[in-house]
Amino acid sequence: MRERERRDMEEWSIWTLVLLGILGWVLIWHYVHQNMEKKMKRRSGLFHNTLPPSPPGTLPFLGHLHKLLLSRQTPHRWFDDMSTRYGPILSLQIGCVPTLVVSSPEMAAQVLHTHDLVFASRSPSSLAAARFTYNCSGLARTPYGPLWRKVMPI
């Protein structure tokens, strides 16, 4: 009986150490990422934030998703609260994806009509996307340009 208790304690302590190690690496990664981002902004001369205001409390891998899920409001009401606090245009991080939230009709008209070519392009392609989509030559991954205009009528 004593031998079994000792083995259980050893297994428990091993899993505790593994979880603490993973947590430590995540915290170190987050700290290093934050410092590197600040250094890159200082070196490039962009010390001031060029993004719209954002709520504090971004978590690694989750972004602001935890605030959205833990609020007791429906998502559209939560976005409305955020727009009244931070203005008609704000930046959120939903998971690992940076997201721009536009909540006023005037700003939405500017984004969708005036600057439509900037937002029409797809995100930069990755190596995997280039391999599986024939160097991003299909309609779904082609950036806006001459090839996109050629493929679009098809």
Side-chain angles (χ1 to χ4, degrees), residues 17-76:
L17 288 175
V18 167
L19 289 175
L20 285 175
I22 291 171
L23 179 66
W25 277 110
V26 167
L27 291 175
I28 289 171
W29 176 82
H30 181 66
Y31 177 75
V32 168
H33 180 70
Q34 292 270 336
N35 284 339
M36 291 299 289
E37 190 174 284
K38 288 178 185 175
K39 285 180 184 177
M40 293 300 288
K41 283 182 184 178
R42 285 186 186 142
R43 284 185 188 157
S44 66
L46 298 173
F47 186 71
H48 298 292
N49 194 0
T50 57
L51 291 174
S54 176
T58 306
L59 293 178
F61 306 113
L62 290 178
H64 294 102
L65 194 59
H66 68 286
K67 291 187 175 197
L68 177 62
L69 295 175
L70 294 177
S71 72
R72 297 184 182 219
Q73 299 173 329
T74 56
H76 68 280

Side-chain angles (χ1 to χ4, degrees), residues 133-143 147-148 151:
T133 61
Y134 300 104
N135 203 15
C136 298
S137 60
L139 180 63
R141 296 294 302 172
T142 304
L147 180 63
W148 184 85
V151 173

Side-chain angles (χ1 to χ4, degrees), residues 111-147:
V111 168
L112 296 175
H113 293 287
T114 309
H115 303 289
D116 58 343
L117 293 180
V118 175
F119 292 102
S121 187
R122 307 312 190 263
S123 63
S125 62
S126 64
L127 181 61
R131 287 213 189 256
F132 291 118
T133 61
Y134 300 104
N135 203 15
C136 298
S137 60
L139 180 63
R141 296 294 302 172
T142 304
Y144 184 78
L147 180 63

